[in-house]
Amino acid sequence: MTDSVIVLDMLNDFVTGAIAAERAERIIPTLRDELLPAAREHGVRVIYANDAHRPEDFELAVWGPHAMRGTEGAEVIPELTPADEDDVFEKRFYDAFYETGLDQHLRSLGVDRVVTVGLHTNMCVRHTSASAFFNGYDIAVSADCADAFSEDEHERGLAYLDYVYDAEITTAADLVDGWESAAH
Ligand code: ZN
């Protein structure tokens, strides 16, 4: 099993800015101190998929301007600055696969399971996981590294992915255990 971790929209506008989700603070330490360092240590590619909106984007009609391309709001939060060996993709839709080249990139890396984390469980995590499923990947969500505007939205996002796509709903500790045991 070759995993990749896709970090969705851990950007200034999503955490502290235009569309801040207070609950995002909950997942930062687990991402920063547990999941992402362990992924890098075990050769699991970390890929950031970041909103980089243009003024014409359809999504702005729903949310208003956020994570506008080239602005500070569209930058990854300082706590989770990508490492040199990570990849960074820009996206303009909830789905990180849509017209980004992400599928081709994952195939070139030999990835067969996509682990999604970040914001929001019921939106970009959901749509990106669904797209990974449609492209033939196994999918997993680290429930303690993803969040939404409310507990209810988070829980319903996870339940939907479990029910509709048979996603593995897991935790950072279980993922790290899996990478460690695969290394021995
Ligand atoms: Zn957006």
Side-chain angles (χ1 to χ4, degrees), residues 24-123:
E25 302 286 346
R26 182 185 75 97
I27 63 176
I28 294 169
T30 317
L31 282 164
R32 180 192 57 209
D33 304 333
E34 296 177 42
L35 189 74
L36 300 182
R40 292 171 187 131
E41 186 189 329
H42 292 99
V44 171
R45 188 65 63 95
V46 175
I47 301 176
Y48 288 74
N50 300 335
D51 259 5
H53 282 303
R54 296 167 192 268
E56 302 78 14
D57 286 357
F58 306 130
E59 225 186 68
L60 303 191
V62 183
W63 296 100
H66 64 277
M68 302 305 291
R69 190 168 190 267
T71 66
E72 197 184 336
E75 287 170 17
V76 173
I77 58 171
E79 297 91 329
L80 298 179
T81 300
D84 288 344
E85 65 265 41
D86 299 343
D87 300 313
V88 180
F89 279 72
E90 290 188 352
K91 65 186 182 65
R92 297 173 67 189
F93 297 90
Y94 301 136
D95 173 5
F97 284 84
Y98 190 71
E99 297 187 343
T100 59
L102 178 59
D103 180 47
Q104 191 59 43
H105 183 57
L106 292 172
R107 287 182 198 286
S108 71
L109 296 171
V111 168
D112 42 32
R113 184 170 70 163
V114 168
V115 178
T116 47
V117 298
L119 298 169
H120 306 87
T121 317
N122 58 329
M123 291 184 265

Side-chain angles (χ1 to χ4, degrees), residues 144-181:
D144 53 353
C145 292
D147 220 321
F149 288 113
S150 69
E151 179 70 21
D152 182 53
E153 287 181 307
H154 174 61
E155 291 297 335
R156 284 197 290 169
L158 294 175
Y160 181 92
L161 286 168
D162 174 34
Y163 178 60
V164 178
Y165 300 115
D166 196 24
E168 184 183 351
I169 309 303
T170 184
T171 61
D174 278 354
L175 287 162
V176 173
D177 276 354
W179 298 332
E180 276 169 4
S181 50

